[in-house]
Amino acid sequence: MIEGSAFVAAPLGGMTLAQLGADVIRFDDIGGGLDYQRWPLAPGGQSLFWAGMNKGKRSVSVNLRSEAGRELVTGLVAKAGNLITNFPARGWLSYERMREHRPDLVMVALTGNRDGTSEVDYTVNPATGFPLASGPRNLAEPANSLMPTWDVAMGGLTATGLLAADRHRSRTGEGQLIGLALSDVAFAMVGHLGRVAEAQLGGRDQDKDGNYLYGAFGHDFATADGRRVMVVALTSRQWNALREVTGQQKAFDQIAKATGLDLDTESGRYEGRDLIAAILRPWFGARTLAELRELFDGTGVSWGPYQTFTQLVADDPRCSEASPMWETVEHPGVGSYLMPGTPLEFSGLPRQPVRRAPLLGEHTEEVLSEVLGLTTAEIGRLEQEGTVAVSVPPDR
Amino acid sequence: MIEGSAFVAAPLGGMTLAQLGADVIRFDDIGGGLDYQRWPLAPGGQSLFWAGMNKGKRSVSVNLRSEAGRELVTGLVAKAGNLITNFPARGWLSYERMREHRPDLVMVALTGNRDGTSEVDYTVNPATGFPLASGPRNLAEPANSLMPTWDVAMGGLTATGLLAADRHRSRTGEGQLIGLALSDVAFAMVGHLGRVAEAQLGGRDQDKDGNYLYGAFGHDFATADGRRVMVVALTSRQWNALREVTGQQKAFDQIAKATGLDLDTESGRYEGRDLIAAILRPWFGARTLAELRELFDGTGVSWGPYQTFTQLVADDPRCSEASPMWETVEHPGVGSYLMPGTPLEFSGLPRQPVRRAPLLGEHTEEVLSEVLGLTTAEIGRLEQEGTVAVSVPPDR
């Protein structure tokens, strides 16, 4: 599979498939694409983002402004039969042109908007409605998401769309172009979650509500040792367990009596969330995280501690080599660190070792030779004329 | 495909495939599952969430505590050959038991944690590190995400995993169990985005930084007419366009000179973000949203307006019937509203009409008859003994 990409969605789509065993060849302009310097950075300045989003791929460096470079990419696409790109799918990179060389091509073309105009996660998120309904109650500004949620959703649909079209091709012999726009991904999800219908039928917007859950009980609490936990009572089982373990049944009964709220329903717990939180706050504040863990363990209480990124890596066994998903792998020039494989556990297929991201252009020579059958002399000529780069850039 | 599910990830995985044309049959306990009352609600009290997450599926109501009900579900799974569930995959619903009736079964079993313990989006998100790095700079508390990001990522992997295993089965004849844990999905993404490596190699945590973008320039600005926009300069093209259109080149040059920052790099723009924002703030504050739209249109400036959910529905043509992704469809007892189809546009396959969610149990009779070949008399008996419900619950 060939990938011409930058940033999150397209690289994530490709990497999801690479981690399932696909041979994914990412091509980049010589010197690196738009995401080659993307933060977070390693202490030495290399992009940990790039290294994170391209694990298990092969990298080919090509001068994309040259005719000869474009022909090489076209040749790779013709051989592979699958292309994922968020580059403008026009001209030489259009589906029509690519298809001339591979009639059953499956191509996923990612765009910002359906009309081809640009949009990134951080500009479409404000339009979804979520930032204006997020953050503390008294906050005047919207609260953006640090997580590129819509890009992540788009990466998932990219992999799904490619596999669906591959399935269709295996049955009919026919390839196709799959268009996917970031704003469609985002707004469709707003609809799936019921927010479009709510706005249309109810006509009112949700107010900012801090860390409360919408439509049931959920809130964060400080602990006696300066930590913080999130507690959720979405289901009856979770609510009953929370009442029982905290021993606050009487207090909750009194709330119910005083307010007329039925706390055995999600809506009742939502309406009474401030009172519920007020009763629970001192109980949590009198206990340490370790004590809470012991009290809640094995009960039906739905809860979890807040962790910084550093605490996640230092304290949480689910993010460590104790889990088969994680391996410590060396990325040349950067160092050894924990890298995740796919979260998908296939019972019939052994887990693949976690493969690091390539260095930029690490596989140019290998791919041109293996896939396109070029000789060493031909590759040398291409390198000399600046069409490809076969050596990796020096460490910074 | 059979789906036994509740909440976001599993229903979303099933719906993603249903919107691509799969026949997805969701089974629920009589009276509805744990997500049947989930907010947001329609003015009449029905769950718009349930209606949003189950579009295009068929619904079967079965008494899941009865032997006879479990046998019916087992029969459906045996016929369909594909099962997605986030119910506890133990006992009668275990892969081993299901497989006895369908040796090449593909089953995706979603759990909270890898060890089978429970976890929901709202409890795992605090552990990822993002809430403690989100929100205004002076905010003492963590800032939760209103969007169930990890559930959405898990829904994408559910569809991808099922299609990948289906592909494997079509080549080898072998089915398999695919395990998928929510905390793995979340923490893997923290790793993919470079945050695990950053914490491990750098050893420091990111501070809360309001609505600034991490690692480049991005910020929100108030407009002259009380609206707010987000502006991003991730790439050189975006930065150059922003400088040019706002006419602030000289001011930026002066910043660069005074601070020694190279604003032509992402890191330089990130380091200088407060100064850049201070220069741009009055410029944005002197213009209305409409003026900004006109000024930015067709330039390389990356920006977008903040909208409430209501404004998204009322004002944004991308979330309207002007887009082929959206159709106004009636949900019985609730009303007509905009429903999204799949964001995936297949060039070789016509777009499917958007299908509403079923009513609970709407297809019990149809499915038992068509798929399991039961007679009307047999179905009547099952209904009488309380094993299935063939009628839909009355409107509330």
Side-chain angles (χ1 to χ4, degrees):
Chain A
M1 206 190 83
I2 309 300
E3 180 192 306
S5 67
F7 298 116
V8 181
L12 179 60
M15 188 174 69
T16 300
L17 297 170
Q19 292 201 318
L20 299 183
D23 177 17
V24 178
I25 300 168
R26 172 168 165 159
F27 66 88
D28 275 286
D29 226 333
I30 293 171
L34 295 173
D35 55 351
Y36 192 57
Q37 320 277 334
R38 185 79 185 99
W39 282 50
L41 304 180
Q46 304 93 334
S47 171
L48 296 171
F49 171 90
W50 204 91
M53 281 293 161
N54 296 295
K55 291 189 290 287
K57 299 176 189 173
R58 297 202 278 178
S59 169
V60 170
S61 278
V62 180
N63 181 350
L64 295 176
R65 274 169 292 273
S66 74
E67 241 353 280
R70 293 172 173 186
E71 269 171 36
L72 290 174
V73 171
T74 304
L76 290 175
V77 172
K79 285 280 185 189
N82 294 300
L83 171 62
I84 291 178
T85 191
N86 67 323
F87 294 163
R90 294 188 297 262
W92 72 279
L93 198 54
S94 67
Y95 172 65
E96 293 69 28
R97 290 281 287 281
M98 284 292 162
R99 201 190 170 189
E100 286 168 15
H101 306 273
R102 177 79 187 222
D104 69 344
L105 176 67
V106 166
M107 172 169 168
V108 187
L110 286 72
T111 58
N113 291 303
R114 181 174 275 270
D115 63 5
T117 55
S118 160
E119 193 83 68
V120 299
D121 185 285
Y122 306 100
T123 58
V124 81
N125 187 46
T128 61
F130 282 103
L132 283 174
S134 297
R137 285 179 180 169
N138 58 0
L139 183 70
E141 292 84 37
N144 286 4
S145 168
L146 194 59
M147 255 295 300
T149 296
W150 312 113
D151 272 346
V152 167
M154 195 182 199
L157 278 174
T158 298
T160 297
L162 189 127
L163 286 171
D166 175 70
R167 185 173 185 273
H168 184 73
R169 177 173 57 193
S170 72
R171 297 177 167 212
T172 64
E174 282 166 23
Q176 61 190 308
L177 171 68
I178 302 134
L180 186 59
L182 181 63
S183 55
D184 279 352
V185 172
F187 299 157
M189 198 61 68
V190 179
H192 295 336
L193 290 164
R195 299 290 190 160
V196 168
E198 184 184 37
Q200 249 191 317
L201 300 174
R204 65 172 194 89
D205 280 307
Q206 189 191 342
D207 291 329
K208 287 172 189 294
D209 203 19
N211 288 334
Y212 282 111
L213 190 74
Y214 187 52
F217 180 76
H219 199 53
D220 63 316
F221 296 100
T223 68
D225 55 342
R227 295 291 299 267
R228 198 169 273 269
V229 297
M230 179 73 192
V231 179
V232 167
L234 210 48
T235 67
S236 298
R237 180 162 179 269
Q238 292 165 351
W239 174 239
N240 291 334
L242 183 63
R243 284 200 298 195
E244 205 162 297
V245 177
T246 60
Q248 303 300 309
Q249 266 152 316
K250 263 191 200 152
F252 291 133
D253 288 347
Q254 283 159 350
I255 288 178
K257 213 166 164 185
T259 59
L261 292 172
D262 180 358
L263 299 184
D264 290 329
T265 66
E266 289 158 68
S267 294
R269 292 194 287 278
Y270 180 58
E271 298 299 333
R273 63 197 180 281
D274 279 325
L275 292 165
I276 296 173
I279 285 173
L280 291 175
R281 200 168 286 119
W283 188 89
F284 278 94
R287 285 159 181 83
T288 65
L289 177 57
E291 286 167 348
L292 290 170
R293 198 182 293 277
E294 195 158 334
L295 280 167
F296 288 155
D297 225 35
T299 71
V301 175
S302 181
W303 77 288
Y306 284 84
Q307 306 179 134
T308 65
F309 295 120
T310 302
Q311 287 169 333
L312 168 66
V313 174
D315 302 342
D316 199 321
R318 298 171 297 181
C319 180
S320 78
E321 286 184 291
S323 159
M325 191 178 75
W326 294 93
E327 282 180 48
T328 296
V329 181
E330 191 188 351
H331 191 89
V334 171
S336 291
Y337 58 86
L338 282 170
M339 293 186 196
T342 178
L344 291 161
E345 283 292 345
F346 291 87
S347 70
L349 298 163
R351 178 167 271 283
Q352 309 264 327
V354 178
R355 293 172 294 163
R356 65 165 171 83
L359 301 178
L360 192 67
E362 183 173 351
H363 306 95
T364 303
E365 198 159 5
E366 172 184 307
V367 166
L368 294 183
S369 157
E370 274 180 26
V371 181
L372 294 184
L374 300 193
T375 65
T376 309
E378 286 169 320
I379 297 169
R381 190 175 47 73
L382 286 169
E383 188 193 9
Q384 259 184 334
E385 71 187 26
T387 303
V388 304
V390 302
S391 57
V392 304
D395 292 349
R396 290 184 290 174
Chain B
M1 205 190 84
I2 309 300
E3 180 192 306
S5 66
F7 299 118
V8 181
L12 179 60
M15 189 175 69
T16 300
L17 297 171
Q19 291 201 319
L20 298 183
D23 177 16
V24 178
I25 299 168
R26 171 167 166 161
F27 67 88
D28 275 285
D29 226 332
I30 294 173
L34 294 173
D35 57 348
Y36 193 56
Q37 319 278 335
R38 185 81 185 97
W39 282 51
L41 304 181
Q46 304 93 337
S47 170
L48 296 170
F49 171 90
W50 205 92
M53 281 294 160
N54 295 294
K55 291 189 289 286
K57 299 177 191 173
R58 296 201 278 177
S59 169
V60 170
S61 278
V62 180
N63 179 351
L64 294 177
R65 273 168 292 273
S66 73
E67 242 351 282
R70 293 172 175 186
E71 269 171 35
L72 289 174
V73 171
T74 304
L76 291 175
V77 172
K79 285 281 184 186
N82 294 299
L83 172 63
I84 291 178
T85 191
N86 67 323
F87 295 163
R90 294 189 298 262
W92 73 279
L93 199 55
S94 68
Y95 172 64
E96 293 69 28
R97 291 281 287 280
M98 284 292 162
R99 202 191 169 191
E100 287 168 15
H101 305 273
R102 179 77 187 225
D104 69 344
L105 175 68
V106 166
M107 172 168 168
V108 187
L110 287 73
T111 58
N113 291 303
R114 180 175 277 267
D115 64 5
T117 55
S118 161
E119 195 82 69
V120 299
D121 186 284
Y122 305 100
T123 58
V124 82
N125 187 46
T128 60
F130 282 103
L132 284 173
S134 297
R137 286 177 179 171
N138 58 0
L139 183 69
E141 291 83 38
N144 286 4
S145 168
L146 193 59
M147 254 295 300
T149 296
W150 312 112
D151 271 345
V152 166
M154 195 181 202
L157 279 174
T158 299
T160 296
L162 189 129
L163 286 171
D166 175 70
R167 185 173 184 274
H168 184 72
R169 176 174 57 191
S170 73
R171 298 179 168 210
T172 64
E174 282 165 23
Q176 60 190 309
L177 171 68
I178 303 135
L180 186 58
L182 181 63
S183 56
D184 280 351
V185 172
F187 298 158
M189 197 60 68
V190 179
H192 296 335
L193 291 164
R195 299 290 189 158
V196 168
E198 183 184 38
Q200 249 192 316
L201 300 173
R204 65 170 194 89
D205 281 306
Q206 188 192 344
D207 292 328
K208 287 172 188 291
D209 204 20
N211 287 332
Y212 281 112
L213 191 73
Y214 187 54
F217 181 76
H219 199 53
D220 62 316
F221 296 99
T223 68
D225 54 343
R227 294 293 299 266
R228 197 169 273 269
V229 298
M230 179 74 194
V231 179
V232 167
L234 211 48
T235 67
S236 299
R237 180 163 181 270
Q238 291 165 352
W239 174 238
N240 291 335
L242 182 63
R243 284 201 297 197
E244 206 162 294
V245 177
T246 60
Q248 303 300 311
Q249 266 152 315
K250 263 193 197 150
F252 291 132
D253 288 348
Q254 282 159 350
I255 289 179
K257 212 167 167 185
T259 59
L261 293 173
D262 180 358
L263 299 185
D264 289 330
T265 66
E266 287 157 70
S267 294
R269 292 194 286 279
Y270 180 58
E271 299 299 335
R273 61 195 181 284
D274 278 327
L275 293 164
I276 296 173
I279 286 172
L280 291 176
R281 200 168 286 120
W283 189 87
F284 279 94
R287 284 159 182 84
T288 65
L289 177 58
E291 286 166 352
L292 290 170
R293 198 182 294 278
E294 196 160 335
L295 280 166
F296 288 154
D297 224 36
T299 71
V301 175
S302 180
W303 77 289
Y306 284 84
Q307 305 180 134
T308 65
F309 295 120
T310 303
Q311 286 169 334
L312 167 65
V313 174
D315 301 344
D316 199 321
R318 298 171 297 180
C319 180
S320 78
E321 286 183 292
S323 158
M325 192 177 74
W326 294 93
E327 282 180 48
T328 297
V329 180
E330 191 189 351
H331 191 89
V334 171
S336 291
Y337 57 87
L338 281 170
M339 293 186 195
T342 179
L344 291 161
E345 282 291 346
F346 293 86
S347 70
L349 298 163
R351 179 168 269 282
Q352 310 264 326
V354 179
R355 292 172 295 162
R356 65 164 171 84
L359 302 179
L360 191 67
E362 183 173 351
H363 306 95
T364 304
E365 197 160 5
E366 174 184 305
V367 166
L368 295 184
S369 157
E370 273 179 27
V371 182
L372 295 184
L374 300 194
T375 64
T376 309
E378 287 169 321
I379 297 170
R381 192 177 44 77
L382 287 168
E383 189 195 7
Q384 257 184 334
E385 69 187 29
T387 302
V388 304
V390 302
S391 58
V392 305
D395 293 351
R396 290 182 295 173

